[in-house]
Amino acid sequence: MTAPAEPSRPLVVAVIGAGPSGIYAAEALTVQARLPVEVAVIDRLPVPFGLVRYGVAPDHHAIRSIRHTLERTLDRPGVSFYGDVTIGRDLSIAELRGCVDAVVYAYGAGADRRLDIPGEDLPGSLAGPELVAWYCGHPDVHPDAHTSGPADSTYESDRGRVVVRLVNQASSAVVVGVGNVALDVARVLVKTADELADTDMAVEVLESLGAKQITDVHILGRRGPAYTAFTTKELRELGQLPDLDLVVHAPDLDLDPSSLAAVASDKVAARNVAVLREWATRPPSGASRRIHLHFWVRPVEVVGPERVTGIRLERTAISPDGYLVGTGETSVLAAELVVRSVGYRGVALPGAPYDESTGRVPHAEGRVIRDGDISADEYVTGWIKRGPTGVIGTNKSDAVETVASLLADVDAGALVPAGRSGALDRLLADRGISALDLAAWRRIDAAEVQLGLRHGRLRSTLAHRIELLAAAAEPTCQTPDTL
Ligand code: NAP
């Protein structure tokens, strides 16, 4: 048996996606001392941090502060950030693989799941991830002025304007799904702009929310209270909002035998049911806003002649053989806004392996499977590996597993550093592509803090790509002529 090669040249790894999963992979690659590694963390957006910036609710300050830890990883020796570079457009996967030793796919789950019911695309029906992207100031939902219509138009390609209009025309909203995103959406929809002023929301988002009239938000669970996907801390948070009544229909909380078994075997389910039961005992206080939690109902149609006026629901039950079934009993819940918050879905990256049936990159312990075989230089981590589940920290253990596979492959001689340092930079330079580095992010960071201070806040997110690029630009030396 031959001993594993002693690599003297650094292993060059490109991580596609600068969200938590990609940055945790960069961390796992560079905290080990077995071999030198250079990591390029590439993102199509001008800024790093993925869902920590564009998914975690703006009022969840502690979770958003994970950004600082992620930023320290981007600053580690051997790690470089390449923002504003789109793999699949600026460079193909094949070109990228040609200039690094290994690629790690960490590009997340960029699409939303659908309900596949009539009326789902009526004006007034929105995907939860789109609403989240809007209130977090994502450039995809805040296009630059020149890419959308004139300010007074109803040009539908500016999804940000569409979202503002829909939110501001509603007094009652329905959120389909009982996961943590549904809780985030419900909170943001009932909170006033004043209550959100201590967040880093973009100025235009906060101003838009100031015109909101929503008093009632209905959260719908297609199964019973023992089957929610909430984490209990996030659920309890709703109960702490001032001037808000939580409306839970007590009979919905009766547990059938399968629910009793779920509660007995799952501590989170038991805690969530206990929280809901306590809320069901609270008499209404006459608060000015309400969040209603409904269980055992599934949406069968989004209703409205031209725009949403309500949602038709069917009562559900668990059949004797354990399946969720409709009872045939339907009713219409009036609402002007329907937000489907039923999860995310991974999408294909051109040139990368992808399994349409799962919405993920196929893999074995993080090693990508291409055309039925393990690929020698491709790895995967995060939501595009395991699906859109878990909390931010789940991505850390996930990345550790993937990087352990990668390092084992180096030890086994299956992945060999080929002296590719600098090849990615040369390729980008040849193409005339200027990636944004960590220093550029720090200029954006400083600009967001400055903008926030001007509005009496700690920071304000720059929502448009054009604003991010302007803030990222290095200051030019001013000569007396230009002063
Ligand atoms: P999720 O946790 O998967 O929840 C999706 C919900 O949608 C489930 O209640 C599911 O019910 C329901 N659903 C799915 N299809 C449906 C349909 N056709 N009709 C009605 N209901 C349907 O997804 P998520 O809320 O988007 O969250 C994604 C991930 O991000 C989760 O891991 C979540 O914990 C995490 N996250 C965490 C935080 C936090 O920690 N603060 C915040 C936001 C997100 P069934 O169970 O019946 O399928």
Side-chain angles (χ1 to χ4, degrees):
M1 206 174 97
T2 53
E6 280 289 321
S8 52
R9 298 188 285 210
L11 183 82
V12 181
V13 181
V15 176
I16 303 177
S21 59
I23 298 181
Y24 285 135
E27 181 185 24
L29 281 163
T30 53
V31 291
Q32 54 77 36
R34 280 149 65 185
L35 78 161
V37 180
E38 291 176 3
V39 191
V41 185
I42 305 171
D43 206 290
R44 72 182 180 91
L45 295 173
V47 290
F49 313 128
L51 276 188
V52 169
R53 180 176 165 102
Y54 292 124
V56 174
D59 58 350
H60 277 172
H61 302 284
I63 308 179
R64 286 179 80 80
S65 71
I66 292 171
R67 169 168 78 71
H68 301 296
T69 313
L70 300 179
E71 183 171 333
R72 280 196 291 279
T73 297
L74 289 179
D75 207 14
R76 286 181 69 84
V79 180
S80 306
F81 173 57
Y82 291 72
D84 206 31
V85 177
T86 302
I87 302 301
R89 187 196 65 194
D90 296 333
L91 299 183
S92 70
I93 294 281
E95 287 168 327
L96 183 65
R97 287 172 76 193
C99 60
V100 297
D101 296 313
V103 169
V104 179
Y105 300 115
Y107 63 88
D112 54 273
R113 284 210 209 118
R114 293 181 59 82
L115 294 170
D116 294 325
I117 58 172
E120 188 169 5
D121 294 318
L122 275 175
S125 171
L126 283 180
E130 184 173 38
L131 183 59
V132 170
W134 173 72
Y135 65 60
C136 288
H138 194 299
D140 284 358
V141 193
H142 294 270
D144 296 338
H146 67 275
T147 60
S148 74
D152 61 351
S153 83
T154 54
Y155 197 55
E156 297 291 307
S157 75
D158 185 337
R159 292 298 302 171
R161 280 191 219 152
V162 173
V163 172
V164 169
R165 205 171 53 239
L166 297 179
V167 169
N168 288 345
Q169 285 171 352
S171 61
S172 187
V174 164
V175 183
V176 181
V178 284
N180 282 329
V181 170
L183 295 179
D184 289 346
V185 165
R187 258 191 352 271
V188 170
L189 288 179
V190 295
K191 278 189 169 182
T192 63
D194 275 353
E195 286 170 316
L196 292 164
D198 67 343
T199 69
D200 61 4
M201 277 181 167
V203 173
E204 67 194 80
V205 171
L206 202 56
E207 280 177 4
S208 304
L209 288 172
K212 180 171 58 67
Q213 314 270 336
I214 294 174
T215 56
D216 289 82
V217 177
H218 300 263
I219 300 177
L220 309 183
R222 64 176 167 179
R223 298 189 282 162
Y227 300 99
T228 58
F230 307 137
T231 42
T232 311
K233 180 170 176 284
E234 274 64 30
L235 182 62
R236 282 202 185 107
E237 195 183 344
L238 288 190
Q240 289 148 14
L241 294 176
D243 189 25
L244 176 98
D245 278 334
L246 289 153
V247 185
V248 190
H249 188 48
D252 280 358
L253 302 181
D254 293 342
L255 301 184
D256 65 307
S258 84
S259 301
L260 284 169
V263 164
S265 63
D266 180 344
K267 282 189 190 136
V268 178
R271 283 198 288 260
N272 287 353
V273 168
V275 169
L276 293 163
R277 283 199 165 136
E278 192 269 312
W279 289 350
T281 65
R282 291 188 192 177
S285 71
S288 69
R289 50 198 177 167
R290 288 153 293 280
I291 292 180
H292 310 250
L293 289 117
H294 306 252
F295 294 98
W296 300 114
V297 282
R298 70 178 177 197
V300 289
E301 182 187 1
V302 180
V303 184
E306 280 158 16
R307 49 158 298 129
V308 173
T309 56
I311 186 163
R312 192 180 310 281
L313 304 174
E314 182 183 24
R315 289 295 296 174
T316 57
I318 301 282
S319 70
D321 46 358
Y323 290 102
L324 183 75
V325 290
T327 63
E329 182 193 338
T330 63
S331 58
V332 172
L333 179 60
E336 300 82 26
L337 181 68
V338 169
V339 183
R340 57 173 189 277
S341 180
V342 294
Y344 289 74
R345 186 177 162 77
V347 293
L349 182 63
Y354 176 73
D355 181 346
E356 181 66 47
S357 66
T358 60
R360 299 179 216 162
V361 170
H363 73 97
E365 293 176 334
R367 296 179 178 95
V368 170
I369 298 172
R370 182 181 273 276
D371 301 329
D373 288 321
I374 298 280
S375 170
D377 62 341
E378 291 172 290
Y379 299 83
V380 61
T381 190
W383 277 8
I384 197 61
K385 172 188 178 189
R386 67 175 194 278
T389 59
V391 293
I392 302 287
T394 316
N395 293 300
K396 189 160 183 166
S397 45
D398 197 349
V400 165
E401 180 196 63
T402 294
V403 169
S405 294
L406 185 154
L407 295 174
D409 291 346
V410 176
D411 286 347
L415 181 63
V416 181
R420 286 169 155 147
S421 286
L424 175 61
D425 289 336
R426 287 192 290 278
L427 181 60
L428 290 172
D430 285 351
R431 294 283 164 84
I433 296 164
S434 317
L436 296 179
D437 59 10
L438 191 61
W441 153 249
R442 288 185 168 147
R443 289 189 287 275
I444 293 171
D445 187 26
E448 291 190 336
V449 170
Q450 280 302 316
L451 181 63
L453 290 177
R454 286 211 296 278
H455 288 85
R457 300 165 61 205
L458 286 180
R459 67 183 297 136
S460 289
T461 297
L462 294 170
H464 298 271
R465 183 169 176 276
I466 203 164
E467 296 172 324
L468 292 167
L469 296 185
E474 286 187 68
T476 48
C477 280
Q478 292 196 317
T479 63
D481 288 348
T482 59
L483 285 174

